[in-house]
């Protein structure tokens, strides 16, 4: 009886793993098809395929990527407000960490497109905090500085630029941060 229970548990475990892998494979295939539709210029088809993928394969890596891709499509279609709402919902759902930086970065861009500069700056700061690679952290900080400057929040903008100068001197964003900080402070860093 014990051997039978162990065997049954093993079979059930194998089935669950195999099913999860198949689900992920189907989701990845569906994501590739939706991206191909977007690249071909058929944005309405891409959007509907991405929405279907998100609901059908919820929780998979492909579904998380589809949320980001869907909101990129929305922004291309001039639906930045809708993209911002979708991205806020996505990050509120606490996706895996690897999706936070691109989601917050795209949220910042959507908010910038909607001329919501201070909110965009905050989103870019969160993108920088979530990014794992120094050059991305610095790039998002440059974006945050630009958004804060547009919002008239020069203190926050200067802080973002100074962070680049202090922590990310080896990145390509270093020179831009120097120039932008000098513009903000009148040459006094």
């Amino acid at each position: 009886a014990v051997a039978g229970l162990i065997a049954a548990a093993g079979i059930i475990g194998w089935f669950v793993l195999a099913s999860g892998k198949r689900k992920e494979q189907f989701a990845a295939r569906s994501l590739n098809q939706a991206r191909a539709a977007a690249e071909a210029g058929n944005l309405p088809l891409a959007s509907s395929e991405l929405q279907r993928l998100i609901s059908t394969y919820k929780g998979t890596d492909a579904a998380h990527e589809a949320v980001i891709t869907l909101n990129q499509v929305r922004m291309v279609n001039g639906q930045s407000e809708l993209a911002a709402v979708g991205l806020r919902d996505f990050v509120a759902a606490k996706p895996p960490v690897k999706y936070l930086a691109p989601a917050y970065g795209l949220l910042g861009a959507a908010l910038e497109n909607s001329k919501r500069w201070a909110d965009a700056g905050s989103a870019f700061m969160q993108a920088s905090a979530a990014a794992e690679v120094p050059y991305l952290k610095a790039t998002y900080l440059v974006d945050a500085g630009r958004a804060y400057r547009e919002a008239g929040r020069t203190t926050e903008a200067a802080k973002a630029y100074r962070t680049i100068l202090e922590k990310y001197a080896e990145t390509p964003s270093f020179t831009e941060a120097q120039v932008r900080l000098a513009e903000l402070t009148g040459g006094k860093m």
Side-chain angles (χ1 to χ4, degrees), residues 97-159:
V97 174
K98 66 182 177 180
Y99 299 107
L100 286 177
Y104 276 120
L106 191 59
L107 175 59
L111 292 167
E112 266 189 322
N113 288 346
S114 299
K115 301 193 183 332
R116 295 170 55 196
W117 308 112
D119 292 337
S122 176
F124 286 130
M125 291 298 287
Q126 290 173 301
S128 177
E132 297 177 2
V133 182
Y135 84 89
L136 280 177
K137 286 181 174 289
T139 299
Y140 287 132
L141 286 170
V142 166
D143 294 339
R146 178 186 64 245
Y148 281 136
R149 195 170 86 205
E150 287 292 328
R153 295 172 126 181
T154 56
T155 303
E156 286 103 328
K159 182 179 177 185

Side-chain angles (χ1 to χ4, degrees), residues 14 44 67 86-87 90 143 156 175 177 185:
W14 172 83
V67 170
L87 289 162
F90 178 66
D143 294 339
E156 286 103 328
T175 303
T185 62

Side-chain angles (χ1 to χ4, degrees), residues 22-76:
R22 278 198 340 251
K23 181 179 178 181
E24 193 68 56
Q25 289 171 345
F26 288 135
R29 194 172 313 129
S30 182
L31 179 61
N32 287 336
Q33 290 171 346
R35 285 181 173 161
E39 289 172 10
N42 193 345
L43 297 180
L45 175 63
S47 181
S48 70
E49 285 187 17
L50 289 164
Q51 289 172 340
R52 189 179 72 236
L53 184 159
I54 292 165
S55 63
T56 304
Y57 300 108
K58 188 174 184 166
T60 63
D61 281 342
H64 294 308
E65 289 181 37
V67 170
I68 293 170
T69 305
L70 173 62
N71 288 295
Q72 288 172 327
V73 168
R74 288 174 174 165
M75 288 177 62
V76 168

